[in-house]
Amino acid sequence: MRYLVFVFLAFTGSLLLAQSEEPILRLNLGVHAGVIQRIATAESGKYILTSSKDKTAKLWDAQTGSLLRTFRVPIGDGDAGMIYSGAIHPSEDQVAIGGWSENYNHSIYIFSTQSGRLLRRIEGHRNVVNDLEFDPSGRYLAAALGGDGGVKIYRTNTYSLFREDTDYNGPTYGVAFSSNGNLASVCYDGHLRLYNSEFQLIKKNNDLSGKMPCTVDISAGSEHIAVSYIDVLSVDVFDGTTLNLDYQPDLSGINEEYGRLIAVGFSIDGSQLVAGGSHGKYIDGRWWWSLRVWENKGRGSYRDYPAGNATIMDLNVLPEDKVLYAAGGQSWGVYSCVGNHQFILSEAAGYRFGLRDRSHFKVSSDGYEFSIQPSNENPVRFYMGRRETKSGATNYPSYKDEHGDLKISNWDNRKALKINGEEPSFLSASESAKSVDISDDGTRIVIGASWHIYGLDNKGQEIWSTTTQSEVWVVNITSDGNLVVAACSDGTIRWYRMNDGELLLSLFMHSDRKRWVVWTPEGYYDAAPGAEYLLGWHVNQGQDRAALFYPISRFRYQYYRPDVIDRVLETLDVAEAVQQADEIAQRFGGSRTRDIAAELPPSITILDPAPGASTSSNQVTINYSIQSPNGEEVTGVKALVNGRPVSETRGLKAKGLRGSLQIDIPSADCVISVLAENRFGSSEPAQVRLKWTGSTMATADLYKPNLYVLAIGVSEYETAELQLDFAAKDAQDFNTTINKQGGSLYSSVETRLLTDANATRANILEGLEWIVKETTQHDIAMIFFAGHGRETTRGTFYYVPVEADLTDRSLRVNGIMREDIKETVATIAGKVIVFIDACHSGSLMETSRRRGAPDMTRIINELTDAENGAVVFSSSSARQFSLEDQGWQNGAFTKALVEGLNGSAARPDGAITWKSLDNYITRRVKELTGGEQAPTTNVPPNTEDYPLAVDPK
């Protein structure tokens, strides 16, 4: 029986280019950054596989929705590497994915679900791989091909070709196995075909409702075959033996012009038929793209259920009346037809916002500020100069499609675009216009389309075009005529130079409105705390090896350049922006952007245990393999449990590229991470989540940790202009508050308080050494800084002790460098929480606001890197000062922190976790400062919530 159904609605018209040998910048979201073409599962439903046009496939835990791993194939420009198909082997130890791939070979890739390694590549397909399906026995893999490639069948023991049928006259988009091994296929030649278990053609039928059948599924017992269409509103159910039309489900209430049910499938027991597509309906006061479920195998009554915010691209019918679906482009979810959504996963904003409304995108005259309203959300605004996001719309102008005698029509998601009644020829085959704007002087037109943005003169003649690889839903030409700003379907906002279409900047805002990353095509970037993982470098390793991926943080030392980003929209030239930034920062030798491909850290893979494996032992063995891309010596291997280093692996030298580690774990579910190092840095962590099945009353669980606290605050600086009112009191109040936790959550609380005259460089360094020495792997360490933070002209951050001033020389001699703080955090054995309230202004700071507020982003992100693993609370976001007030008798951040630890941040169970504390501080500081200060909290990857304190009341 078939469990996967799907339709492919994307274009296939652009040229396929060979894989790139250069690193490629790619978004790296927790979900997909492009349309999900397929969503698959095996019969047991342990894993979910999604395949996307963003050139990745992702494996998910079906019970929790958590991402287990991302599969990456070799990619290139244009379509090269887009993944349109995927299937999970019945044993769930392998997945197959396919789509567009290099050199027209259109490969199928077989990956291990356990390790994520590429096991095999099957090449030699004449056209794109539109669908993949394993038979129920797991012995065969069927591939449906585009063009007139037909269907190929492979033996899975060797993945050698077993059978093929090329007697097709159009692209094939769907194949489905029955429980007895029969195979059905549908093709745009208008035929439904049925093969026996030896893959010999039994019968074919071209008496279908439409000419473009796109989905096929076979019911339990092989009695019926359901087919859906892209060109007509119809679902046909055929006899599973004769292929005669048996019946058609009730399609009442579906718009005949726009509605299509393009994904269809039978329930596991065959009693229900489910379909989805572009069927929209108001349900509970909201517009939904809906799932229709018929009783009696599709003959009976139906109900419509809310599912996604855009077309349902694919679905699976699961046990317990659950439907797994891909919708809204990048989102997917599980819906229970007897309840509601189990979960919906989406991180990218949908800038489509209705096919007939582009007025929500408003841009300032210089392009520095814009507001936009993502689908089904409130408007949000972003100001590039301060890197701030706020709620609400601006009053700037939106697009126009008329100017004097110039009129653009038929542009609204249509192919028949007209300029003054004439249809231009610049749109490529199958491409449609999505958005338009005319410059204020009426001399230029910009058209956003399916995968290009076009610059035209007022006669409609093309001046330039730029490939986007995503739909351009809204465009806006700035009033000064220098820039085009576009919002795209991948969730990015992009700035183009108006005179030639050169891409200057791209911005991605996470849906939480806190995290964002902005970058140039060369890779210079700025990012909010916790946002560096949203972008990274894809590195191909040849046709027969999985590609590598490195978040931009791995190359922070050369590409983290907020000073460059500051100047790009001003200079309209990235090279000029770099030169100006270098001169100001006194980089007299100029920026040296070294070859990323030549300086890669290693990559590491956990071979065993498998994701989600169970254990009842407090000691587990981790088997791993290491890849050193350039043959560099691997200098070390490090393991972490729940984000903190395992002391036994510190300084451990790698012995070859394969090895094993014995690791002690707690008597609870946990996440184990393993990193490898070479002279260029650390790998991304390979992670495995383990489920605890042993006793929960082990001795280790009865142990109460100790809490070690180092609290530092300076108000009375030796330099008079640096005086603050409450920084020292902030440290005292935090110290007093946290001491109340002794005997409750913690066995004991030991603190060191350094304020004013005692907060010298020597004393602070000694305090950092003390907290490293005292904290064991069972304990928790907290470090609190209040006072001034400062960056040198070269961008190095220092905490300012009592004897330091703000000159570069004084900071180098008397300051606490960020490296001192990083080394401390990285070597503490237990969990680490850092509180930084070091962005206060003071009179000297106010004289130069731009340099006065230090950019805390870099140090926050460094402290929360996997190899350092601290949870960091910061008093303010980048470029903001932290405020203090006589009425509060504290800084706003510390006032909120102390209130939270005194019980205001407690959950109903009395626990004060880092999440509940973060939520309270964020809300309270906004309230205290009228929104002028926005604290941030950043955590290492995959850090579970845990208590920091309990309500002392």
Side-chain angles (χ1 to χ4, degrees):
M1 175 179 178
R2 175 156 161 69
Y3 298 97
L4 174 65
V5 291
F6 164 81
V7 65
F8 167 49
L9 297 178
F11 70 92
T12 58
S14 62
L15 289 177
L16 176 67
L17 301 179
Q19 67 167 6
S20 172
E21 295 181 359
E22 299 295 326
I24 303 170
L25 273 173
R26 304 289 296 171
L27 283 172
N28 181 49
L29 311 182
V31 293
H32 288 286
V35 173
I36 298 174
Q37 298 294 104
R38 291 192 178 275
I39 191 163
T41 188
E43 186 171 1
S44 65
K46 179 180 179 181
Y47 297 135
I48 292 168
L49 178 70
T50 52
S51 305
S52 172
K53 286 177 63 179
D54 71 0
K55 306 185 180 183
T56 69
K58 294 180 183 290
L59 189 71
W60 311 82
D61 185 309
Q63 297 302 312
T64 65
S66 60
L67 178 63
L68 298 176
R69 64 178 74 260
T70 298
F71 302 109
R72 301 183 190 275
V73 302
I75 69 172
D77 295 331
D79 297 348
M82 289 186 179
I83 300 174
Y84 295 154
S85 55
I88 302 178
H89 191 276
S91 66
E92 298 185 306
D93 63 345
Q94 297 176 12
V95 301
I97 60 176
W100 282 96
S101 54
E102 75 291 337
N103 299 326
Y104 292 97
N105 286 324
H106 298 297
S107 298
I108 298 170
Y109 299 90
I110 310 298
F111 283 89
S112 164
T113 57
Q114 181 163 322
S115 67
R117 297 172 60 202
L118 177 59
L119 303 176
R120 188 179 298 270
R121 180 174 69 94
I122 311 170
E123 61 178 333
H125 304 96
R126 289 189 295 167
N127 210 297
V128 62
V129 182
N130 284 325
D131 193 12
L132 290 167
E133 180 76 8
F134 288 102
D135 83 304
S137 71
R139 293 183 298 165
Y140 299 103
L141 173 67
L145 305 179
D148 56 359
V151 173
K152 289 179 180 281
I153 309 296
Y154 294 94
R155 292 186 178 94
T156 57
N157 59 344
T158 60
Y159 285 103
S160 58
L161 182 64
F162 176 56
R163 291 273 196 276
E164 64 178 326
D165 185 353
T166 58
D167 186 21
Y168 282 65
N169 192 29
T172 305
Y173 285 113
V175 290
F177 279 103
S178 68
S179 57
N180 62 5
N182 286 354
L183 179 73
S185 71
V186 287
C187 176
Y188 275 19
D189 62 8
H191 283 84
L192 165 65
R193 293 169 171 84
L194 182 64
Y195 301 83
N196 63 22
S197 58
E198 292 298 314
F199 308 108
Q200 297 165 332
L201 183 64
I202 301 173
K203 194 174 184 62
K204 64 180 181 179
N205 180 6
N206 66 348
D207 187 17
L208 310 182
S209 293
K211 298 298 184 184
M212 302 170 69
C214 55
T215 303
V216 61
D217 194 26
I218 305 177
S219 68
S222 306
E223 296 175 351
H224 296 98
I225 301 174
V227 176
S228 66
Y229 305 87
I230 187 61
D231 57 329
V232 296
L233 174 59
S234 183
V235 174
D236 292 343
V237 181
F238 298 92
D239 183 277
T241 301
T242 67
L243 296 193
N244 294 329
L245 180 64
D246 199 346
Y247 55 90
Q248 295 173 314
D250 185 353
L251 302 182
S252 302
I254 301 177
N255 186 294
E256 291 187 9
E257 182 179 1
Y258 301 109
R260 296 291 184 271
L261 296 179
I262 57 178
V264 64
F266 287 102
S267 61
I268 299 298
D269 62 6
S271 65
Q272 294 178 318
L273 184 66
V274 183
S278 55
H279 166 40
K281 191 171 184 177
Y282 278 100
I283 301 176
D284 297 331
R286 178 180 167 184
W287 182 264
W288 293 89
W289 300 101
S290 303
L291 294 166
R292 177 160 290 193
V293 181
W294 296 273
E295 300 299 326
N296 192 21
K297 303 179 182 181
R299 293 189 183 93
S301 61
Y302 69 83
R303 290 188 64 183
D304 290 330
Y305 296 91
N309 59 6
T311 302
I312 309 298
M313 296 292 290
D314 192 13
L315 63 82
N316 274 261
V317 183
L318 304 175
E320 301 175 358
D321 294 316
K322 292 179 180 178
V323 180
L324 171 66
Y325 64 90
Q330 296 96 323
S331 64
W332 68 271
V334 175
Y335 190 83
S336 171
C337 294
V338 296
N340 51 23
H341 286 99
Q342 182 175 337
F343 45 72
I344 303 177
L345 297 180
S346 180
E347 243 174 352
Y351 294 137
R352 181 171 179 163
F353 195 68
L355 294 180
R356 290 169 175 77
D357 181 10
R358 304 292 190 274
S359 63
H360 62 96
F361 188 45
K362 305 173 186 293
V363 182
S364 64
S365 61
D366 58 4
Y368 273 79
E369 188 174 10
F370 69 85
S371 64
I372 195 165
Q373 186 168 7
S375 301
N376 297 319
E377 297 183 37
N378 293 322
V380 60
R381 60 200 300 176
F382 186 89
Y383 182 60
M384 183 64 68
R386 293 189 298 271
R387 314 284 204 274
E388 287 183 346
T389 57
K390 290 188 176 182
S391 299
T394 66
N395 293 319
Y396 300 122
S398 60
Y399 82 97
K400 49 184 172 291
D401 55 10
E402 295 187 34
H403 187 281
D405 295 333
L406 177 60
K407 182 176 181 179
I408 305 172
S409 58
N410 278 16
W411 58 266
D412 192 4
N413 203 34
R414 303 180 189 180
K415 299 176 184 178
L417 170 76
K418 292 184 179 181
I419 300 175
N420 284 342
E422 299 293 327
E423 191 171 323
S425 60
F426 60 84
L427 289 175
S428 60
S430 303
E431 191 172 28
S432 59
K434 309 292 183 183
S435 54
V436 63
D437 195 17
I438 302 172
S439 63
D440 284 0
D441 62 7
T443 64
R444 292 290 183 267
I445 301 168
V446 170
I447 303 294
S450 301
W451 50 89
H452 288 92
I453 185 168
Y454 297 93
L456 316 174
D457 64 18
N458 59 2
K459 305 298 182 183
Q461 297 300 307
E462 181 180 337
I463 300 173
W464 53 261
S465 67
T466 300
T467 301
T468 61
Q469 288 192 243
S470 60
E471 295 165 311
V472 183
W473 281 114
V474 283
V475 292
N476 193 303
I477 304 172
T478 57
S479 296
D480 64 12
N482 291 328
L483 292 163
V484 179
V485 190
C488 302
S489 62
D490 62 358
T492 60
I493 307 292
R494 303 178 190 176
W495 286 257
Y496 298 87
R497 194 163 56 207
M498 182 62 201
N499 65 354
D500 60 3
E502 182 76 15
L503 177 62
L504 298 174
L505 284 178
S506 301
L507 167 74
F508 180 83
M509 293 186 294
H510 192 278
S511 58
D512 64 13
R513 300 294 174 255
K514 294 180 180 180
R515 286 172 285 174
W516 51 262
V517 57
V518 57
W519 68 97
T520 71
E522 297 80 1
Y524 299 112
Y525 76 94
D526 191 10
E532 285 182 314
Y533 82 93
L534 295 172
L535 184 71
W537 293 95
H538 174 109
V539 181
N540 290 323
Q541 295 288 292
Q543 294 184 5
D544 295 310
R545 299 170 69 185
L548 302 177
F549 185 85
Y550 298 92
I552 51 173
S553 59
R554 294 300 160 195
F555 308 95
R556 187 186 289 134
Y557 63 92
Q558 62 171 317
Y559 282 108
Y560 178 68
R561 294 296 301 274
D563 54 343
V564 170
I565 302 298
D566 285 338
R567 292 163 176 83
V568 171
L569 298 185
E570 178 183 332
T571 62
L572 301 180
D573 186 272
V574 176
E576 178 65 22
V578 173
Q579 182 177 339
Q580 290 186 15
D582 285 348
E583 290 173 356
I584 292 172
Q586 300 179 33
R587 291 184 176 92
F588 299 112
S591 292
R592 188 168 73 91
T593 54
R594 297 185 289 272
D595 181 6
I596 285 179
E599 298 189 358
L600 295 176
S603 64
I604 190 167
T605 298
I606 294 177
L607 303 176
D608 186 67
S614 300
T615 181
S616 59
S617 172
N618 291 108
Q619 187 174 82
V620 297
T621 300
I622 303 295
N623 295 311
Y624 63 83
S625 68
I626 300 172
Q627 182 179 345
S628 184
N630 300 316
E632 288 287 335
E633 179 187 2
V634 178
T635 57
V637 178
K638 180 190 293 185
L640 303 93
V641 175
N642 293 331
R644 293 307 303 157
V646 175
S647 57
E648 290 81 1
T649 65
R650 294 174 193 233
L652 182 66
K653 299 293 183 181
K655 298 179 180 178
L657 298 181
R658 284 180 177 257
S660 62
L661 299 171
Q662 298 288 329
I663 298 175
D664 292 330
I665 64 169
S667 301
D669 293 353
C670 66
V671 177
I672 296 176
S673 307
V674 183
L675 301 95
E677 301 170 337
N678 66 14
R679 65 190 180 102
F680 297 126
S682 296
S683 68
E684 277 302 284
Q687 296 179 329
V688 61
R689 185 181 299 271
L690 300 181
K691 296 178 180 179
W692 179 255
T693 58
S695 170
T696 58
M697 296 300 291
T699 303
D701 294 324
L702 303 177
Y703 173 81
K704 279 189 176 182
N706 294 319
L707 173 63
Y708 295 92
V709 178
L710 177 62
I712 307 162
V714 184
S715 296
E716 298 293 330
Y717 281 92
E718 293 180 7
T719 299
E721 293 89 343
L722 294 181
Q723 303 299 323
L724 295 170
D725 291 328
F726 299 113
K729 183 175 182 294
D730 285 345
Q732 293 168 348
D733 290 350
F734 171 76
N735 187 71
T736 299
T737 301
I738 203 66
N739 260 308
K740 299 176 184 178
Q741 296 296 321
S744 55
L745 181 64
Y746 302 104
S747 178
S748 67
V749 178
E750 297 187 30
T751 66
R752 283 202 178 184
L753 177 65
L754 301 175
T755 59
D756 290 338
N758 289 323
T760 63
R761 180 177 189 273
N763 285 346
I764 294 171
L765 291 176
E766 197 278 329
L768 294 174
E769 185 177 348
W770 165 79
I771 204 167
V772 169
K773 181 180 178 181
E774 294 297 324
T775 308
T776 73
Q777 61 180 336
H778 301 293
D779 300 325
I780 291 181
M782 295 183 182
I783 306 174
F784 178 96
F785 295 95
H788 284 303
R790 184 66 166 178
E791 289 176 315
T792 66
T793 55
R794 292 179 177 270
T796 301
F797 173 83
Y798 288 86
Y799 175 74
V800 184
V802 66
E803 72 268 37
D805 59 39
L806 300 186
T807 64
D808 284 5
R809 182 181 184 280
S810 178
L811 291 173
R812 285 194 295 269
V813 174
N814 300 314
I816 301 298
M817 191 177 183
R818 74 166 188 267
E819 297 298 330
D820 298 320
I821 303 171
K822 277 176 55 181
E823 182 180 0
T824 298
V825 166
T827 51
I828 289 176
K831 294 177 181 176
V832 184
I833 301 91
V834 179
F835 302 93
I836 304 178
D837 194 357
C839 298
H840 293 285
S841 58
S843 58
L844 266 185
M845 299 291 194
E846 294 290 0
T847 63
S848 176
R849 186 173 178 88
R850 185 168 181 176
R851 284 204 60 217
D855 183 0
M856 300 299 299
T857 302
R858 177 165 184 157
I859 187 171
I860 292 171
N861 283 333
E862 288 178 339
L863 293 178
T864 54
D865 280 343
E867 58 266 35
N868 298 323
V871 174
V872 180
F873 290 78
S874 178
S875 59
S876 55
S877 60
R879 305 181 182 220
Q880 284 185 334
F881 287 110
S882 298
L883 305 178
E884 51 182 15
D885 190 273
Q886 289 288 341
W888 309 328
Q889 292 292 298
N890 282 118
F893 172 77
T894 301
K895 179 174 176 60
L897 171 61
V898 168
E899 288 177 353
L901 292 173
N902 275 323
S904 295
R907 301 187 312 191
D909 62 2
I912 301 170
T913 68
W914 63 258
K915 282 188 178 180
S916 68
L917 186 59
D918 170 41
N919 291 335
Y920 179 78
I921 291 174
T922 299
R923 185 174 66 251
R924 183 63 168 138
V925 170
K926 180 180 180 181
E927 176 185 292
L928 289 169
T929 65
E932 289 299 311
Q933 182 177 330
T936 63
T937 301
N938 201 20
V939 299
N942 297 305
T943 298
E944 304 287 342
D945 196 19
Y946 58 85
L948 305 180
V950 295
D951 190 344
K953 300 183 183 67

